[in-house]
Amino acid sequence: RLLRCVRFACKFGFDVDPAIVAAAQEVRGDLERKVSRERVGIEVGKMFEGPCPDRAADLLMECGVRDLIFAQQKVNKKKVPEGPLQSLGWTQDVACPRDWGLSLRRVRAMAQCSTCRCETDREMRQVLCMAALFYGVAPDLDFTAPLLVQNEVMHSWVDPITTHSLKLPNRFATACAQLLVAAKNYGPLMQSVPAAEAEGVAADLQGIAQQLLQHVAPDKGIDSGRVKFGEWMRFAGPVLWRAAVCLSYCCCTDPPTALDDPKGPVAVCSMTLEQAGLVVCTEMKPLIRGDQLQKSLELPKGPSVGIATQCLLRLQMAHPTYSEEQLMHCMSA
């Protein structure tokens, strides 16, 4: 009933009686012991698809149950929960990226973002807002590592929260981790553009667009910036890349700001994708089969063929117009 009280207060704009907040401290133990985590996850999901997910999270904090709701639950090899719930480590330090108030402002900006407001998929709205809440406490990533490796790190952090603690579907953890990795890599991707005086996504968007378009022009040959952009777009996928750009913008601007400008970062990425000839990168398949690569390059069976295939895809993104013969020549060289 405490969780429903919070949900209804946010849905209908009610104030919560101080007596309810005081009583919340008394029922905290019962909420942990007697209420199933599946029921908790359902209520939290409804809060985050509602109009004020930031207020819902703040009310949970005010009622003293935030670290009971948003926590990591370890499981054994048989997927059975074991050990106490672990806090995610928010702070009350405004100078720290883990600051609780900053996390709430990020959620508010994400909820007001046009992408989130127009999202008809209720589960995607939950993912977007929860990813904004987790952005500050999520693990730091090694941006030099492949995106799939980064995704493994993020998924191993998200999964104990969403799947094991809140009992949300496995696809929730998959989408949330992918979204966080794509959003956290967007700023460094923009900063990698030569001569662009950029500070993440809050920089001059038009300047970034011009520099990025020059940097990934098809006639530039093999270009690390171009390939990085293609790999990022391929990792984010045709469904999540716009949401990832919006999440990065909301979380990296100071103060967190909703993205509603159609000429903003989403349009920049879309234009760059088209100008760079990478429109099909999200659906790109290797033009040369693995067995052909293995035979032509005299590779042993196993991981080396997969590595060669990834190199082939990078070449295809660097040279969208190359034929199979030209690609094989490059691979051999």
Side-chain angles (χ1 to χ4, degrees):
R1 295 195 179 197
L2 172 62
L3 299 181
R4 286 183 174 180
C5 171
V6 170
R7 177 162 64 88
F8 291 149
C10 297
K11 182 176 180 179
F12 299 111
F14 294 157
D15 292 328
V16 178
D17 192 295
I20 295 178
V21 177
Q25 308 297 326
E26 301 176 13
V27 301
R28 187 184 191 281
D30 290 335
L31 179 63
E32 182 176 5
R33 293 189 302 270
K34 297 182 179 181
V35 180
S36 70
R37 297 304 296 186
E38 287 86 353
R39 185 70 246 178
V40 172
I42 290 172
E43 290 297 330
V44 170
K46 291 179 179 179
M47 292 177 198
F48 274 77
E49 71 185 45
C52 303
D54 57 306
R55 182 167 181 248
D58 200 26
L59 282 173
L60 293 175
M61 169 68 174
E62 189 178 345
C63 292
V65 296
R66 179 199 66 185
D67 292 335
L68 176 62
I69 304 300
F70 303 111
Q72 288 184 316
Q73 176 65 70
K74 290 187 176 181
V75 296
N76 58 27
K77 293 182 179 179
K78 296 182 179 180
K79 302 297 183 181
V80 176
E82 59 180 19
L85 294 171
Q86 297 181 339
S87 171
L88 299 187
W90 277 290
T91 69
Q92 296 291 347
D93 183 0
V94 295
C96 177
R98 291 175 168 265
D99 177 55
W100 175 246
L102 177 59
S103 296
L104 292 179
R105 291 192 293 275
R106 286 169 172 164
V107 175
R108 185 181 306 118
M110 191 71 245
Q112 295 172 351
C113 181
S114 58
T115 298
C116 193
R117 290 203 314 268
C118 297
E119 184 60 65
T120 57
D121 185 342
R122 295 166 55 189
E123 189 170 292
M124 182 53 66
R125 278 183 54 84
Q126 296 174 24
V127 171
L128 287 168
C129 292
M130 205 166 289
L133 184 69
F134 294 158
Y135 192 93
V137 292
D140 294 329
L141 298 172
D142 178 7
F143 297 127
T144 63
L147 289 166
L148 292 178
V149 174
Q150 296 182 44
N151 194 59
E152 290 179 4
V153 173
M154 188 63 73
H155 190 274
S156 66
W157 182 84
V158 171
D159 194 55
I161 306 170
T162 59
T163 306
H164 303 309
S165 179
L166 294 175
K167 302 297 182 183
L168 296 170
N170 290 330
R171 61 182 179 274
F172 196 102
T174 300
C176 193
Q178 185 179 2
L179 189 58
L180 282 167
V181 171
K184 284 179 173 287
N185 275 267
Y186 179 72
L189 176 70
M190 293 292 118
Q191 288 181 318
S192 69
V193 180
E197 297 179 359
E199 294 182 359
V201 295
D204 177 9
L205 297 175
Q206 293 301 321
I208 289 180
Q210 293 174 4
Q211 293 291 339
L212 189 58
L213 286 173
Q214 293 173 8
H215 195 45
V216 300
D219 60 354
K220 291 286 185 179
I222 297 178
D223 192 304
S224 61
R226 171 192 176 80
V227 173
K228 284 182 180 179
F229 180 76
E231 287 181 325
W232 179 87
M233 190 65 68
R234 183 178 175 82
F235 168 80
V239 177
L240 284 182
W241 76 264
R242 291 176 178 83
V245 172
C246 292
L247 177 63
S248 182
Y249 185 88
C250 292
C251 293
C252 294
T253 48
D254 186 19
T257 307
L259 180 60
D260 289 315
D261 183 5
K263 297 181 180 179
V266 173
V268 169
C269 274
S270 182
M271 179 172 60
T272 304
L273 195 68
E274 182 177 352
Q275 294 293 327
L278 293 171
V279 174
V280 297
C281 72
T282 57
E283 302 173 358
M284 186 178 290
K285 296 181 179 180
L287 292 180
I288 305 173
R289 297 198 314 270
D291 58 337
Q292 291 177 300
L293 285 174
Q294 181 186 357
K295 181 178 180 180
S296 299
L297 302 179
E298 299 181 350
L299 298 173
K301 293 182 178 180
S304 57
V305 179
I307 294 173
T309 302
Q310 292 301 315
C311 292
L312 175 62
L313 286 170
R314 289 171 63 88
L315 275 172
Q316 288 180 215
M317 286 186 283
H319 302 286
T321 60
Y322 270 22
S323 64
E324 291 184 29
E325 291 76 15
Q326 290 173 306
L327 289 170
M328 183 58 80
H329 177 74
C330 291
M331 292 292 292
S332 300

